[in-house]
Amino acid sequence: MNKTATVTGKKFTTQRLALMAMFAAILCVSAYISVPLPFTGYHVTFLNFIIMLIALIFPLEQSALISIVWLLLGAVGVPVFIGGNAGIGYLMGPLGGYTFSFILVAIFLPLLRGTKYNRIRYTIVSLASVVFVDLFGMVWLKFMNHMPWATAWVAGFFSFIILDLVKAVVVAQIIPAFNRIMQVQSQE
């Protein structure tokens, strides 16, 4: 029985595919780990933490595939977006910009992080990715809701950025532990 599949010239073992599926499932569940923000009705979620974790652990092709599977599941109606939302309407709605920015992070962060772990570099690219997500999402929110810029900054950026920066620093620091776990797993 063939235990590998070739995707874009790279080999994925059955074990690697199972690990990717597990992380896709974790990504889906992370949308439910959220704290509602007062006055705005929006939520701070664990999604961007998990997206950064995936993008800092997996190679580009695998990171992109995991996030695209999550996006497609949500697009076809599986409730995997923030607060159990789903569908094309959600993606094209006010919070869709955050969702699309997560996909961009999953694609570009593996390119920016380098091939070997460097705590400072990983921390910087993680911080830059959350600023990108919050800015992209805020601009999308502003135009979809026809908000004044001041309101968009408060509701779509400043409400999220402090906790997102903390999550970025934490995820960059735990990558070596995840890499060790994944290496032990692949040797068994």
Side-chain angles (χ1 to χ4, degrees):
M1 179 186 296
N2 186 5
K3 289 191 168 189
T4 62
T6 303
V7 178
T8 63
K10 302 250 180 184
K11 287 190 176 188
F12 291 135
T13 64
T14 304
Q15 181 180 16
R16 195 63 172 181
L17 289 170
L19 189 62
M20 291 168 59
M22 182 183 73
F23 271 90
I26 291 169
L27 185 57
C28 293
V29 170
S30 71
Y32 289 92
I33 303 170
S34 67
V35 177
L37 295 173
F39 310 115
T40 65
Y42 302 130
H43 296 256
V44 174
T45 71
F46 218 53
L47 271 169
N48 57 352
F49 182 90
I50 300 300
I51 283 284
M52 284 186 292
L53 182 65
I54 290 166
L56 292 174
I57 291 175
F58 289 93
L60 169 63
E61 296 84 2
Q62 295 174 17
S63 174
L65 185 60
I66 292 167
S67 62
I68 290 169
V69 164
W70 167 74
L71 180 75
L72 292 174
L73 284 171
V76 299
V78 180
V80 297
F81 298 143
I82 297 168
N85 287 295
I88 299 295
Y90 177 83
L91 290 172
M92 295 299 127
L95 300 177
Y98 295 100
T99 303
F100 287 119
S101 67
F102 292 150
I103 303 304
L104 295 173
V105 164
I107 292 169
F108 288 108
L109 201 53
L111 297 172
L112 298 172
R113 71 170 192 232
T115 55
K116 291 196 176 214
Y117 178 76
N118 177 296
R119 188 174 307 276
I120 293 170
R121 183 181 183 116
Y122 273 48
T123 303
I124 290 169
V125 297
S126 293
L127 290 169
S129 75
V130 297
V131 171
F132 169 75
V133 166
D134 290 349
L135 281 174
F136 189 93
M138 181 270 302
V139 170
W140 184 291
L141 180 70
K142 183 242 182 295
F143 287 109
M144 295 307 274
N145 278 348
H146 309 288
M147 293 178 164
W149 280 105
T151 305
W153 277 102
V154 171
F157 185 80
F158 294 124
S159 297
F160 302 112
I161 195 65
I162 299 300
L163 287 175
D164 288 348
L165 291 171
V166 170
K167 290 185 276 187
V169 170
V170 170
V171 78
Q173 309 317 303
I174 65 172
I175 295 302
F178 270 89
N179 283 336
R180 281 192 298 277
I181 291 167
M182 289 174 60
Q183 285 175 351
V184 167
Q185 187 70 18
S186 67
Q187 292 173 357
E188 293 177 355

